Amino acid sequence: MLDALSEKFEKVLKKLRGQGVLTEQNITEALKEVRFALLEADVNFKIVKEFIDRVREKAIGQEVLQSLTPGHQVVKVVWDELRAMMGQDRVGLGLNSQPPTIVMMVGLQGAGKTTASGKLARLFKNQGKRVLLVAADPRRPAAGEQLSALGRDLGVEVHRADQTQASQADVVRICGAGVDRGREQGFDLVILDTGGRLHIDDELMGELTAVKAAVAPHEVLLVADAMTGQDAVTMAGQFDQRVGLTGIILTKVEGDARGGAVLSIRAATGKPIKFLGVGEKLDALEPFHPDRMASRILGMGDVLSLIEKAQESITREQAEEAQKRLTSNTFTLEDFRAQLGQMNRMGSFEQILGMLPGGQKLKQAMEGNKPEREISRVVAVIDSMTAKERRDHTIINGSRKKRIARGSGTTVQDVNRLIKQFLSAKKLAKAMTGAGGRRQLAQLLRAR
């Protein structure tokens, strides 16, 4: 998501940065291109107009035009306004001082409410919280079964009472019973996975309003599909008007959405995006940071989020053990395979590239290549080795290479390539972690 928009922004702003002197005309022409880029990304035209007006007003000020680097100053203005449009600062989940915190999930059918409930449960369970999931859509046993399956996978309890002919009063009673159980049994968080419809109707809104009045949730989160663009923004406005929202979780952000919902939903509704669903797995939920998203859009990357992902996937003990092995020259192919697995747990290669400064250009350079496929091949080759070969690659001779290639469905050339990659990675990592790492790394890169 947002790749096309990011590419256009990079081109426009690169032109501005390349000019020693900026005029009102330069800026006006650049802002025309920015305007078209935002409209193509499906951002509401009123929000685009207000955004462009604010940028123009600041960009043609004397401080910018008379500065030593006017192009960079304009980029800073655009970044500031993008961040403001998306909410300025991170707004997290408001946890109640007296548990449990009651979170009510609302949205249309198919937006991913149940999966988002599971992702939220996992996030807070990993923070040491006791979470109770409540199947608040009793008419659909499939929804209750899906939530129960997620609960089993996560080791989280689920409160459930299927009732195919449930009335509004029954739904309210089930939600109330779930909240009472959460309170009595000392849960920190109670998440209500409410029912949805294919479209907004009075029956759905009446039911949600009744549940909200009965259980007084601390958070009412709308789960919206980012792929629907401005429809998601319109729907958010209707839910907020009739039920009252405290925040939004945008799902399917990893798809080919043009980004209009991410950019304009806060400006249109006044409600913050709290989380982004970036994949189908239960760990694919990211806190939303307006400043980091603005940096991604402008091609500056999002190194902080990348570090956080790495910290989630790799423990301090694992990192220290890997460093110890590297510096003592005991790093093996088994360690190499483990590190590839850790990288996989951080997300897709495309997601990781998207967080690096200039990642868009790297993506373009790698177009057609599938790093995940290459990693799978490497893992298959290592798995076809004996334990002794994985611990000591120097014993892998010609006949062993043939056996490993047969066992992994690859070629001897693939095995040779893997050993070469392993030795290069080992040398590079040792240079980065050893004493005087930067100096050694610079020498190594010059030698290559």
Side-chain angles (χ1 to χ4, degrees):
M1 193 200 70
L2 296 171
D3 280 355
L5 178 64
S6 179
E7 188 180 343
K8 286 169 186 168
F9 263 103
E10 277 196 76
K11 284 180 182 173
V12 173
L13 298 175
K14 187 179 178 183
K15 283 184 200 170
L16 289 179
R17 284 194 299 265
Q19 296 181 24
V21 178
L22 284 183
T23 64
E24 285 190 34
Q25 187 179 350
N26 294 145
I27 292 169
T28 300
E29 287 172 3
L31 289 180
K32 262 187 202 172
E33 292 183 50
V34 169
R35 178 174 171 271
F36 285 132
L38 289 170
L39 290 172
E40 281 182 12
D42 200 22
V43 181
N44 181 280
F45 75 95
K46 287 182 182 176
I47 293 170
V48 172
K49 184 180 184 304
E50 289 168 6
F51 172 80
I52 296 296
D53 288 346
R54 286 196 304 271
V55 172
R56 181 183 288 111
E57 184 182 344
K58 291 181 180 177
I60 62 175
Q62 286 190 348
E63 280 183 35
V64 171
L65 293 180
Q66 292 178 11
S67 70
L68 293 173
T69 56
H72 289 83
Q73 294 291 329
V74 173
V75 173
K76 174 69 165 61
V77 169
V78 172
W79 182 86
D80 284 340
E81 292 304 322
L82 275 174
R83 178 186 174 186
M85 181 165 69
M86 291 185 286
Q88 196 70 23
D89 295 310
R90 158 101 182 115
V91 179
L93 207 66
L95 296 178
N96 194 32
S97 56
Q98 291 186 326
T101 299
I102 303 161
V103 180
M104 182 174 166
M105 309 286 273
V106 302
L108 294 182
Q109 199 170 310
K113 267 197 312 300
T114 302
T115 304
S117 298
K119 288 177 178 179
L120 208 56
R122 178 192 176 276
L123 181 75
F124 283 94
K125 188 191 176 200
N126 286 354
Q127 293 176 12
K129 308 288 185 189
R130 285 193 71 214
V131 183
L132 176 66
L133 289 165
V134 178
D137 186 7
R139 300 182 194 94
R140 289 180 60 235
E145 189 51 49
Q146 185 189 354
L147 198 68
S148 295
L150 291 174
R152 285 193 295 273
D153 289 344
L154 293 166
V156 167
E157 290 190 49
V158 176
H159 182 83
R160 178 182 172 191
D162 292 348
Q163 196 174 329
T164 53
Q165 300 299 318
S167 64
Q168 180 177 295
D170 291 326
V171 174
V172 171
R173 180 178 51 75
I174 290 166
C175 290
V179 170
D180 288 343
R181 176 180 168 186
R183 197 170 283 123
E184 290 162 9
Q185 297 181 9
F187 285 90
D188 298 299
L189 209 72
V190 176
I191 301 173
L192 307 178
D193 178 26
T194 66
R197 302 283 191 281
L198 293 173
H199 53 81
I200 291 171
D201 58 34
D202 291 334
E203 186 183 352
L204 170 65
M205 292 303 183
E207 182 172 294
L208 295 176
T209 304
V211 169
K212 184 183 178 187
V215 303
H218 304 98
E219 292 273 3
V220 181
L221 301 181
L222 172 70
V223 181
D225 183 345
M227 301 284 283
T228 60
Q230 282 308 298
D231 286 345
V233 178
T234 305
M235 181 194 61
Q238 291 177 326
F239 267 93
D240 186 42
Q241 188 178 0
R242 300 181 70 172
V243 181
L245 303 175
T246 60
I248 295 154
I249 297 178
L250 274 181
T251 62
K252 305 179 188 176
V253 172
E254 78 283 4
D256 294 326
R258 289 176 289 173
V262 175
L263 285 163
S264 53
I265 207 163
R266 172 63 186 255
T269 65
K271 303 301 174 183
I273 299 173
K274 298 205 171 187
F275 297 96
L276 296 177
V278 294
E280 293 179 8
K281 292 181 181 177
L282 289 173
D283 61 354
L285 187 73
E286 289 183 1
F288 181 72
H289 296 268
D291 53 342
R292 299 183 192 181
M293 183 57 75
S295 295
R296 281 197 212 185
I297 291 168
L298 298 183
M300 300 173 187
D302 180 3
V303 177
L304 284 175
S305 290
L306 186 58
I307 290 168
E308 285 169 6
K309 272 185 173 289
Q311 287 172 336
E312 284 176 19
S313 305
I314 305 164
T315 65
R316 181 184 291 273
E317 290 76 18
Q318 286 172 326
E320 287 174 353
E321 179 62 25
Q323 184 172 347
K324 195 187 298 178
R325 284 177 171 277
L326 280 166
T327 51
S328 64
N329 207 29
T330 57
F331 191 77
T332 67
L333 281 161
E334 283 182 341
D335 300 315
F336 187 51
R337 187 198 186 291
Q339 295 214 335
L340 289 174
Q342 288 164 354
M343 196 170 104
N344 263 343
R345 287 197 294 277
M346 286 173 62
S348 74
F349 208 76
E350 279 206 357
Q351 285 175 343
I352 294 170
L353 280 181
M355 294 179 189
L356 293 172
Q360 184 60 35
K361 289 175 186 170
L362 285 170
K363 279 188 196 178
Q364 290 167 0
M366 294 178 65
E367 196 170 355
N369 295 327
K370 294 288 181 188
E372 283 87 358
R373 195 182 302 155
E374 180 62 27
I375 289 171
S376 296
R377 186 184 294 121
V378 167
V379 169
V381 172
I382 296 174
D383 285 347
S384 295
M385 296 176 183
T386 64
K388 193 175 180 182
E389 287 166 347
R390 286 198 289 270
R391 286 194 293 269
D392 182 8
H393 69 279
T394 60
I395 68 170
I396 302 176
N397 56 23
S399 61
R400 287 177 183 261
K401 286 176 184 175
K402 287 177 184 174
R403 191 204 77 245
I404 292 165
R406 280 196 305 273
S408 58
T410 58
T411 64
V412 171
Q413 286 84 354
D414 288 327
V415 178
N416 286 331
R417 192 183 308 121
L418 161 63
I419 294 170
K420 188 176 178 182
Q421 287 169 343
F422 164 67
L423 292 173
S424 295
K426 186 176 177 180
K427 197 173 181 183
L428 188 65
K430 189 177 179 184
M432 292 175 72
T433 56
R438 285 189 181 182
R439 179 174 50 78
Q440 291 178 37
L441 180 58
Q443 290 171 355
L444 181 65
L445 292 172
R446 278 198 296 273
R448 292 174 74 188

